[in-house]
């Protein structure tokens, strides 16, 4: 698959998984690194600025592609709910995950708020 040639996977990205636990009285959601950094390709697709509550807010959409991983299989895992990406200190929330080819790779569509980090 041409889109997943090694030279195109030039960004080191951290994949995080949602950990849900319950403390007395309320649920707690935390994010934990899935494993080592993963090489992905990155294409910014759209950016927006708007005013919310008298503050400028900016978001942008990005498409990421990576080699196939069983722990990111969109047919088995609710990737948008259970995973997110962290790149250069910025959180990228996954909005969609798609299989590329026959388990050759995975495409992730994300949205990130500028300045949003955890």
């Amino acid at each position: 698959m041409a889109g997943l040639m090694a030279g195109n996977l030039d960004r080191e990205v951290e994949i995080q998984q949602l950990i849900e636990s319950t403390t007395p009285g309320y649920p707690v959601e935390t994010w934990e690194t899935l494993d080592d950094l993963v090489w992905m390709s990155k294409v910014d697709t759209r950016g927006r600025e708007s005013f919310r509550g008298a503050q400028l807010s900016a978001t942008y959409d990005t498409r990421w592609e990576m080699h196939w991983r069983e722990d990111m299989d969109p047919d088995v895992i609710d990737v948008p709910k259970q995973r997110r990406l962290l790149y250069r200190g910025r959180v990228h929330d996954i909005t969609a995950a798609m299989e590329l080819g026959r388990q050759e790779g995975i495409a992730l569509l994300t949205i990130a708020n500028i300045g949003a980090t955890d």
Side-chain angles (χ1 to χ4, degrees):
M1 174 167 259
L4 289 178
M5 292 176 31
N8 294 338
L9 304 176
D10 60 351
R11 311 295 172 108
E12 286 185 298
V13 181
E14 184 177 315
I15 299 173
Q16 296 182 329
Q17 66 180 348
L18 178 63
I19 306 296
E20 296 178 294
S21 60
T22 303
T23 60
Y26 58 93
V28 176
E29 293 183 349
T30 57
W31 292 92
E32 181 178 282
T33 299
L34 200 54
D35 65 23
D36 296 328
L37 296 173
V38 177
W39 290 98
M40 298 187 189
S41 67
K42 175 182 183 276
V43 176
D44 292 323
T45 57
R46 178 174 54 172
R48 294 176 295 288
E49 286 187 349
S50 62
F51 278 98
R52 292 184 187 174
Q55 291 185 337
L56 180 63
S57 173
T59 61
Y60 62 94
D61 299 337
T62 304
R63 177 186 172 102
W64 302 86
E65 290 186 0
M66 59 187 284
H67 287 295
W68 180 259
R69 291 172 55 119
E70 292 293 328
D71 60 357
M72 293 289 287
D73 182 345
D75 290 331
V76 177
I77 298 165
D78 186 355
V79 175
K81 182 178 188 286
Q82 298 179 6
R83 304 285 191 263
R84 73 180 187 183
L85 304 180
L86 185 63
Y87 178 67
R88 292 187 165 177
R90 182 168 293 139
V91 172
H92 292 258
D93 293 315
I94 299 170
T95 59
M98 298 158 283
E99 179 178 346
L100 299 174
R102 291 188 150 197
Q103 296 186 346
E104 294 175 40
I106 298 171
L108 303 170
L109 301 179
T110 65
I111 189 166
N113 286 313
I114 293 181
T117 59
D118 270 0

